[in-house]
Amino acid sequence: MNSDAGRLDYRHINIKALVWVAFPISNYQIVWPHGLLGNLNFYDVEATYPPRTSKSQVQLMLQRLLAERFHLQTHWEVRNSPVYLLNVARGGLRIRKSPNPPDEKTLSISVSNGPEGWSLHDRLPSSAPGSPFGMTVGKLVDYLNNNFVFDRLVIDQTGLDGYYDINLRIPASDSAERLPDAEMFIDAIESQLGLTLQKQTAPVKTLIVDHIDTVPTPN
């Protein structure tokens, strides 16, 4: 999935991923039609648009494409769903605000997973000394929600704003390069960041996919 100013180029993307990128929600907030799983095809999508088009406008364009070419039909509901509520731990916050934060459009998150373990950093490995660094708690939550770290949506209730020096490290488990499990993430987030995740049920805005074709109309 490549995109830059004025162009996107998606290769071998399935219909569920295409719907996900077209709406400003996480995958946990989508309910699919019965029988869609196992009938997923893959597509190439190429599109151009004015260079100054915002992300939300691009998403609207993708929604129109899905409606016109795949006959997508949806509606919204608020459903009580299992979630994790993210709050500051009783022991207090263990992260500090970045003295040199990046601008909103700068990518400042890197993730690695290897024989020594899994890690997340608030700067790119190629960053020069003195480069801006930091990550918002909102971006951390977006990462957790969009990379299937947990089996439920994470909702940020910390009230923290701005950019923080956020780094997470989880040592390798018995299986080399296996992703850490949910409990390992929860423990690391509390011990290293001073944030706690609690299981709850909460009302969640949910996109219900009523209908979608898996074969698009011709170009």
Side-chain angles (χ1 to χ4, degrees), residues 172-188:
S173 61
D174 54 353
S175 178
E177 300 189 25
R178 186 181 70 180
L179 286 174
D181 61 30
E183 291 303 319
M184 296 171 74
F185 272 105
I186 291 170
D187 291 343

Side-chain angles (χ1 to χ4, degrees), residues 41-157:
N41 297 323
F42 293 85
Y43 314 91
D44 294 337
V45 181
E46 298 177 5
T48 58
Y49 43 84
R52 295 184 181 275
T53 303
S54 68
K55 179 181 178 180
S56 61
Q57 289 173 319
V58 173
Q59 288 176 322
L60 287 173
M61 293 175 184
L62 287 171
Q63 291 172 30
R64 286 196 292 268
L65 179 148
L66 286 163
E68 293 171 2
R69 303 291 301 280
F70 294 88
H71 303 121
L72 174 68
Q73 298 174 21
T74 65
H75 72 277
W76 293 96
E77 292 182 7
V78 175
R79 293 188 170 187
N80 284 328
S81 303
V83 299
Y84 277 116
L85 300 182
L86 182 72
N87 288 287
V88 176
R90 290 184 178 180
L93 200 62
R94 293 178 176 268
I95 53 177
R96 297 182 178 181
K97 280 201 168 183
S98 169
N100 186 19
D103 61 60
E104 292 184 358
K105 295 183 179 180
T106 299
L107 179 66
S108 62
I109 178 172
S110 66
V111 178
S112 63
N113 190 49
E116 296 182 357
W118 179 93
S119 63
L120 175 147
H121 300 285
D122 59 7
R123 67 205 78 192
L124 299 180
S126 58
S127 297
S131 296
F133 68 93
M135 185 190 314
T136 65
V137 173
K139 288 186 177 182
L140 173 64
V141 169
D142 285 344
Y143 175 83
L144 298 174
N145 284 333
N146 294 332
N147 289 275
F148 303 98
V149 173
F150 301 117
D151 62 350
R152 60 187 64 202
L153 184 72
V154 177
I155 298 177
D156 179 16
Q157 289 194 327

